Each structure stands twice: as structure tokens, then as C-alpha cells.
Amino acid sequence: MARGIRIVGAGAGADATPPPSTAAKMWSGRLGSSTSRRVEEYTIGIAVDRRLYAEDLDTSLAHLHMLRSVGLVSAPDARTIETGLREIRREFDRNEFVIEPGDEDIHAAIERRLFGIAGEVAGRLHTGRSRNDQVATDLRLYLREHVRRLVLAVADLETALISVAEQNRGVAMPGMTHLQHAQPVLFAHHLLAHVHALARDVDRMRDWDKRAAVSPLGSGALAGSSLPLDPAAVAAELGFDRPAANSIDAVSDRDFVAEFLFAAALLGVHLSRIGEEVILWATPEFGWVRLDDAWSTGSSIMPQKKNPDIAELARGKSGRLIGNLTGLLATLKGLPLAYDRDLQEDKEPVFDTVEQLIMLLPAVTGMIATLGIDGERLAAAAPAGFALATDVAEWLVCRGVAFREAHEISGSFVSYCEQRGLDLPELTDDQLAEVDPQLTPEVRGVLSVEAALRARSSVGGTAPARVAEQSAQLIDTVHAQVAWANAKPGS
């Protein structure tokens, strides 16, 4: 159950001054008979959208202030309504707000309670407003707030990865392609690659926020209003950059939801990739990292087990986040303008995605921050699998050999060693010449992990100096992310 809400059976918690009919809907004047219970059960949305109560109260207050400023609600009536709205917020905060069986959605529930507190004057609040523009605004507010919470959680994970990288700055490891040994890299370089991916996730969320900072309030059901509303004032009070430019688009647009779900799904994919590597690295076959006991689980039957459940759930939940995105896109693909009840289905994937990431990110952060790193085992594995062969080819290129020829010579070098059970640095001078006369004894100068690392000094490379630059730049990036997330929207 959502915080601040209680649900009761019919008749409980009745208001002192209900709307014209306790069972009346906002639209009951048009229909000649009461709605079938089966229709109500099928269409009711409050079980999901009750999470928007804080945003609905915020939009209601901003709308009320605008109505008062343009003269559509008198100052005394506005004070009465605002007192009621603030009392409703206190009820939510004290977990005393009661959801009645007839409440169709969170908007209807709050309006019903406002009638109970403020009386008939409560009916003035809905002047110039539809639930269509109301819910679109609420959802934008919810996502803009929670994107900032997610950015802070991502920044914590980035900080943990950078910290582990800094603590193991000089440790080498096998760089891999196709999960096969390729070239030696610094372990820190590998960890920072994950940070760069997460930083792009934050960039997408911040860029998303620019497009989401548009207020639909004032659009009404779809056509705007004949009343002298001031949508720009409402937008400013709620921290939006501007009101919507087209009222039909404003109430039907769910691009901001789909785009958020895409950014979140891609974040989930990046978390899954981190999880997959931790799972592999923690196996006895790799043995590169050790999971902390506090961030692992055990087996109900095998007492020796230490299971990477956090990493596995990171991998598993990525499918759930992708599913939330594709489900919404399928819902949106055939909708005509403007509002359609199908859009009620936009909230569950949003709430689920937000809630899953808010749980998952701190767990992955804790797992990473407490990893034990076996630097000796990593370093020992770094040159394995003839990982220095590329350095041999590039050494030949520096001596005027065409790369294709150098590649062939280096490949022959590897084949020669493999057939004799030797590693590249173990060949004698005569054996080097037997492979190819151009492999002089000087080639041994590149046949070490340290030399290979130092040589990769191009921009973004794995040379220690370059990795140190990356780390410093990423620390600055994370600080900027945190500053953005802590700033109030519209400030």
C-alpha cells in the first residue's frame, strides 16, 4: 500500500459534506444510470495512480493560485480550498487519508475529501482543468523528481567504481574480446569503462528532463480553455520551463514516459553487464574478485556456497525494465489523438521501473564497494593467451614492416610458441630468427605487460597516465551530476 493512504470498505470514513451524491462521479451528469460494478472494477485506476497524491496536491495548489490571481476564485474561497488541500497533505503524511470504494482515481479521491473539508466551495478548484491535463502534469512532476533520485543513486555507483579503480590503479588484467584474452589493460581502465556507460545514462536523463519540463496544465481536455487562465504562471510555480504549445499534443503526449523508460532500460542493461562480469569474476575458474559476505547469499543445502544474487538480479531485472518499455510502446502505437483511456496503462511500467531501480542501484553499489580484488591473480592472467602478440606486430610496424605482413609474422610467432608449449618471451634468439629474421632480440622489449600498458598512451588508452586522466575527469563529471540532481527543477 502506498505511503499515507488507507483503503476501507463502503461507508467507512464518510465526509461531513460530500459532493452532491456520495457515489457520484465527476462525469455523472451525462449518464442516466449508475455505472456497472464490473465497469468500475475494470476501469478504476486508484490502485496504481494513488502514488501521485503528492504531485496531484502540488498541481492543485499551483492551479488554485493561478485561479485566484486571474479572478476566477475569490481570495476567501482560495484560502478555504488551500487550507483543505494542506489538511489533505497532512492526512497523507500521517497515513490517515482514506480511499473510499467509489474513488475512481487519485484526483477523484482528493476532490471528494476536499468537499468533505471545504464544502461546496471545493467545486471551484476544477475550474479550467481536466483530468487529462491534470494527470499528464502529475506524471511529469513525478518523473522529474524521481529522475533526480535515480541520478543520485547512479552517482553513488559511479563513485564506488571509481574508488575501487583508484585503490587498484596499478593492477593489470586481461582485456578481452569475445570473452577471449586480447590485450593487457589496467583493471582500473576496465572499471572506468563502466563509469563512462553510466555517465551516458545520466546524460540521457538530464537531456530527457529538458523535454519533460513542459506543463500540460491549461490544455483542458484537449482544446484549451475559454477562461482567462495563465498556464505560464502555473508552469513556473511547478518548476517547468514553459506551458505546452499545443493542447491536443499536451494531453496525448507520452513521449516523455517512453523516453524515460528507454533511458531506464538502457541503464538496466548497463547494470546487467556489470552484474554478468562480477558473476564470472567471482567463480573459482576466474577467481579475480571475492564477494563480501554481507553482499552475498548462501544455499539452503550446500553450506560452502556464496552466491552473487545481487549481480544475478541486476542481470535479471534488466529484462523487466526492457519489458516495461516495449509494453508501453505497444500501447501507444495505435492511439488516435487526443486522450484515450489506454493511457491509464502508462503508470504501472513507470512506477515499477522507478521502484526497481531505486532498490537495485544501492544494492549494486554496495556489492561493488565491498568487492575483494585479487590483484596477483589478475596480473598473472594479464599476459596469458599470447596477449602480447599485437605488441609484436606494432613493434614490427615501427620498423617499417607493413601491418598485414607484421600481423602474419606475429601470428606465426604465436603458432610457433603454441606448438612447443612456450610463451612469447621464452624463445631464444635462434628461435626468434627461425620464426622470421625480422624478429630480432630487441623485440623482447615489448614482451612484458608493463611495456604493453605504457605503450597504449593514445587518448582513452590504458596507459597509467591516461587512466589517471580519465579518473580525474570522471570525478568532476560525478560532482556535476550530483549538483544537478540536488538542484530544484526550474531553479
Side-chain angles (χ1 to χ4, degrees), residues 268-343:
V269 168
H270 292 149
L271 295 176
S272 177
R273 186 159 61 178
I274 293 171
E276 172 68 7
E277 290 195 332
V278 170
I279 291 164
L280 287 173
W281 294 353
T283 62
E285 289 76 12
F286 277 78
W288 295 352
V289 301
R290 296 178 304 279
L291 296 167
D292 188 270
D293 288 354
W295 297 89
S296 308
T297 63
S299 166
S300 63
I301 188 172
M302 295 169 286
Q304 83 282 6
K305 293 293 295 299
K306 184 189 285 189
N307 295 329
D309 281 16
I310 291 173
E312 290 173 343
L313 282 171
R315 190 174 59 184
K317 286 184 183 294
S318 64
R320 182 169 177 170
L321 302 181
I322 293 167
N324 285 339
L325 168 63
T326 56
L328 178 73
L329 291 174
T331 297
L332 297 178
K333 70 176 182 62
L335 297 187
L337 297 175
Y339 181 85
D340 304 279
R341 193 61 178 266
D342 312 53
L343 293 178

Side-chain angles (χ1 to χ4, degrees), residues 452-465:
L453 293 173
R454 286 196 304 272
R456 299 291 184 277
S457 59
S458 59
V459 174
T462 197

Side-chain angles (χ1 to χ4, degrees), residues 168-175 184-188 288 373-383 449-450 453 462:
N168 297 274
R169 180 180 287 185
V171 175
M173 69 172 287
V185 297
L186 285 175
F187 182 60
W288 295 352
I373 310 301
D374 192 333
E376 292 184 3
R377 189 156 181 169
L378 278 163
V449 170
E450 293 74 14
L453 293 173
T462 197

Side-chain angles (χ1 to χ4, degrees), residues 6-30:
R6 291 190 294 121
I7 301 177
V8 301
D15 300 314
T17 310
S21 169
T22 304
K25 300 292 188 292
M26 292 179 174
W27 37 264
S28 59
R30 167 63 178 86

